[in-house]
Amino acid sequence: DAKTTQPPSMDCAEGRAANLPCNHSTISGNEYVYWYRQIHSQGPQYIIHGLKNNETNEMASLIITEDRKSSTLILPHATLRDTAVYYCIVRIQGAQKLVFGQGTRLTINP
Amino acid sequence: GAVVSQHPSWVICKSGTSVKIECRSLDFQATTMFWYRQFPKQSLMLMATSNEGSKATYEQGVEKDKFLINHASLTLSTLTVTSAHPEDSSFYICSARFGMNYGYTFGSGTRLTVV
């Protein structure tokens, strides 16, 4: 699976949009981009995933660049409960396992 | 949505004893489940992939005789930490995949403390 690079930490003000970048420059055509988050001492929570088109759900939006070498997770109106570690993961279509990188620790400030 | 139930949420055991952690898929059949461990301030590390009815596949460096995985049914996988030592103290998390192109759902984790 392609390696991902994320900033180790970010801060965002409550009510503002949180934009979390992820670099996956070695991604191949059949690899999906997944985003999960982990709130302290809990299991990871699925946020969103995509292949090449931008995706949106009730939690977030996923913007994938045209060359697919990077993506951005957008939390449109961050709340204090969005404070967590966010993981960007690339997985080959059909592959079983999900391998986590170091993630970005996002802190939402009041 | 797909729910994975993990028990216990925390356990304290003495060195040398064994501890079993259960992972159940509540509303779907999970032919494949995954076990991770996580040390404080670190990311999740995949330990093994558990397939129903067959032997688990362990990641490099994970002792299969120490971390026994059983996936006897489509809704239950168990991880047994045998002859536990203090260095096995960690946060253990299970996960299951539902469908080929959907996401993975995770249990709430088990915090193991070996004293």
Side-chain angles (χ1 to χ4, degrees):
Chain A
D1 293 334
K3 179 179 170 58
T4 61
T5 303
Q6 299 177 253
S9 64
M10 291 182 64
D11 284 83
C12 179
E14 186 178 19
R16 306 296 295 269
N19 297 281
L20 292 91
C22 179
N23 181 286
H24 32 78
S25 58
T26 60
I27 194 170
S28 60
N30 61 348
E31 290 184 305
Y32 283 80
V33 179
Y34 284 81
W35 282 85
Y36 282 79
R37 72 180 183 184
Q38 185 180 26
I39 296 170
H40 183 63
S41 295
Q42 296 182 26
Q45 176 190 22
Y46 168 79
I47 301 173
I48 200 167
H49 76 285
L51 183 61
K52 53 183 179 181
N53 297 322
N54 296 338
E55 302 288 344
T56 295
N57 62 21
E58 64 278 4
M59 288 184 67
S61 294
L62 173 60
I63 308 299
I64 303 175
T65 57
E66 193 169 341
D67 62 8
R68 302 186 67 242
K69 292 185 176 182
S70 65
S71 61
T72 301
L73 178 73
I74 302 173
L75 307 178
H77 305 286
T79 70
L80 298 179
R81 288 180 295 180
D82 291 322
T83 292
V85 178
Y86 287 76
Y87 295 99
C88 168
I89 303 164
V90 171
R91 184 184 73 89
I92 296 174
Q93 183 180 15
Q96 292 201 71
K97 57 188 180 182
L98 212 57
V99 178
F100 286 75
Q102 294 306 305
T104 295
R105 183 172 298 277
L106 175 67
T107 302
I108 306 300
N109 300 307
Chain B
V3 176
V4 169
S5 176
Q6 185 173 345
H7 293 281
S9 56
W10 61 270
V11 57
I12 301 174
C13 72
K14 293 184 177 180
S15 288
T17 62
S18 296
V19 174
K20 179 184 286 188
I21 302 169
E22 290 190 350
C23 181
R24 294 181 184 272
S25 57
L26 296 187
D27 50 4
F28 67 101
Q29 293 183 333
T31 55
T32 304
M33 290 187 175
F34 308 88
W35 288 95
Y36 295 81
R37 67 188 296 183
Q38 184 177 33
F39 293 108
K41 299 190 184 301
Q42 295 186 22
S43 184
L44 285 78
M45 184 193 80
L46 180 65
M47 299 175 66
T49 300
S50 163
N51 293 295
E52 186 267 336
S54 64
K55 292 183 179 180
T57 302
Y58 290 82
E59 295 298 305
Q60 190 173 9
V62 177
E63 300 176 60
K64 62 180 181 181
D65 294 331
K66 180 167 186 60
F67 299 100
L68 301 179
I69 292 173
N70 184 282
H71 193 159
S73 77
L74 288 171
T75 58
L76 174 65
S77 177
T78 61
L79 168 68
T80 301
V81 182
T82 63
S83 186
H85 290 278
E87 55 264 34
D88 298 324
S89 297
S90 187
F91 191 53
Y92 292 86
I93 308 168
C94 69
S95 172
R97 194 178 78 174
F98 50 102
M100 285 294 292
N101 291 319
Y102 292 101
Y104 296 66
T105 189
F106 287 79
S108 54
T110 297
R111 185 160 303 283
L112 169 65
T113 302
V114 184
V115 297

